[in-house]
Amino acid sequence: MMLMLLQGFFAILIFAFVPLAIKYTSANPVTICLARLLITVFVLSLVWRKKIQFPRKAKELWGLLLLGGVFFFHWISYAYAVKFGGPAIAVLSLSTYGIQLVLASCLLIGHKINKKDLACLVMCLIGITLIIPSWDFKNQITLGAALGLFSASCFAIIPILHRRLNKHNQETRIFFQFFGALIGFSFLFPLSNWEISKMDWGIIIYLGIFGTLIAHSLWAHITSKISPVISGMSYYTIAPITLICSHFLFAERFSHLQLVGALVVITSAIASSYDIKKV
C-alpha cells in the first residue's frame, strides 16, 4: 500500500511539473511534442513489439488513427495553452476534462446527465468565467484558457474512443494513440526548431521519458488498482500543485476573484469525478 501511495505521489508530481517544463523551455510546442512522441513511439515499439497488433482491415486502421488524431489535437492545443496562458491557466482549463467527459459521453454513447452533472457544469462555467480576465482573444491568458478548454474537450473524447476500439488490446490502442499523433505532428515539422540549448534538450528528454512514459505507466497501473472516485480526486490535486509552483517559478499572480474561480473549477472537477465510474 505504501509503495502504491509513493508511486501515485510521484506520478502526480511529474504531471504537475509537465506544464511548468513546457513553459520553461524555449523550444516551441511543435518541437516539444515531436520530440516527446519520437521518444515514446520508439520505446513502445521496442517494449511492446510482440503485443502490438497491426490491423488488417482499413476500417480498423482508420479507427486507431482517429484516436491518434484526437490525441494530436489534445497535445498541440495544450502545449500552446501553456505557452500563451501560462501553466496555471492551462492546467485549470484542462481540469474541466472530467465534466467534459460526462458531456461527451452523453452525446456519443448515450450517458444520461443527472442533476449533479448539471450542477458541476454550472460551477465549472462560473469558475472559468471568473478566471478569464477578458473576452478578448488578443489577451494571451484568454487565448491560453480557450486552447486549454479545447484540449480538455479532445482529452474527454479519448477514453470514449478507447472504449469503442476495445476489440484491440490496450497496448495496440496506446501505441496508435501516440503513433497517430506523431503522424499529425510530422506535417508540422517545418514549424519545429531544433537549434536549442542543452538545457532545453534536457527538459525535452524529461518530458519524453518522465512526463510521458513513466508518469502515464505509473498512473495506468495505479488506476487499475484503486477506485475511479479516488483516482479522479487524486488526479485533480495536480492543478493546485502547478498553481503554487507556477507562482514561485514564473511569478504568475491571480487576483482574489481569479483564485475563487480556480477553487470553483477544481471543486467542480473533483465533484464530477464521482460520476466518471459510470462512463
Side-chain angles (χ1 to χ4, degrees), residues 41 59 72 127 158 178 193 254:
V41 170
K59 184 178 179 180
F72 160 79
I158 290 172
F178 290 113
N193 177 23
F254 279 1

Coordinates of all heavy atoms in Angstrom, one line a residue, residues 41 59 72 127 158 178 193 254:
V41 N 7.1 6.7 -29.1 CA 6.9 5.7 -30.1 C 8.0 4.7 -30.2 O 7.8 3.5 -30.4 CB 6.5 6.4 -31.4 CG1 6.5 5.3 -32.6 CG2 5.2 7.1 -31.3
K59 N -10.8 -0.2 -42.2 CA -11.7 0.4 -41.3 C -11.1 0.4 -39.9 O -11.2 1.4 -39.1 CB -13.0 -0.3 -41.3 CG -14.1 0.3 -40.4 CD -15.4 -0.4 -40.5 CE -16.5 0.2 -39.6 NZ -17.8 -0.5 -39.7
F72 N -3.5 14.1 -31.0 CA -2.7 15.1 -31.6 C -3.3 16.5 -31.3 O -2.5 17.4 -30.9 CB -2.7 14.9 -33.1 CG -2.3 16.2 -33.9 CD1 -0.9 16.6 -34.0 CD2 -3.2 16.9 -34.6 CE1 -0.6 17.7 -34.7 CE2 -2.9 18.1 -35.3 CZ -1.5 18.5 -35.3
G127 N -16.7 29.2 -12.6 CA -15.2 29.3 -12.3 C -14.4 29.8 -13.5 O -13.5 30.6 -13.3
I158 N -11.0 10.9 -25.8 CA -10.1 9.8 -25.9 C -10.5 8.5 -25.2 O -10.5 7.4 -25.8 CB -8.7 10.2 -25.4 CG1 -8.1 11.2 -26.5 CG2 -7.7 9.0 -25.3 CD1 -6.8 11.9 -26.0
F178 N -0.3 7.3 -29.7 CA 0.9 8.1 -29.9 C 1.4 8.1 -31.3 O 1.9 9.2 -31.8 CB 2.0 7.6 -29.0 CG 1.8 7.8 -27.5 CD1 1.5 6.8 -26.6 CD2 1.8 9.1 -27.0 CE1 1.3 7.0 -25.3 CE2 1.6 9.3 -25.6 CZ 1.3 8.3 -24.8
N193 N 11.9 23.7 -34.4 CA 13.2 24.3 -34.3 C 14.1 23.5 -33.4 O 13.8 23.4 -32.2 CB 13.1 25.8 -33.8 CG 14.4 26.4 -33.7 OD1 15.4 26.1 -34.3 ND2 14.5 27.5 -32.8
F254 N -2.6 35.6 -9.5 CA -4.1 35.7 -9.7 C -4.7 36.7 -8.8 O -4.2 36.8 -7.6 CB -4.7 34.3 -9.4 CG -4.6 33.3 -10.6 CD1 -3.9 33.6 -11.7 CD2 -5.1 32.0 -10.5 CE1 -3.8 32.8 -12.8 CE2 -5.0 31.1 -11.5 CZ -4.4 31.5 -12.7

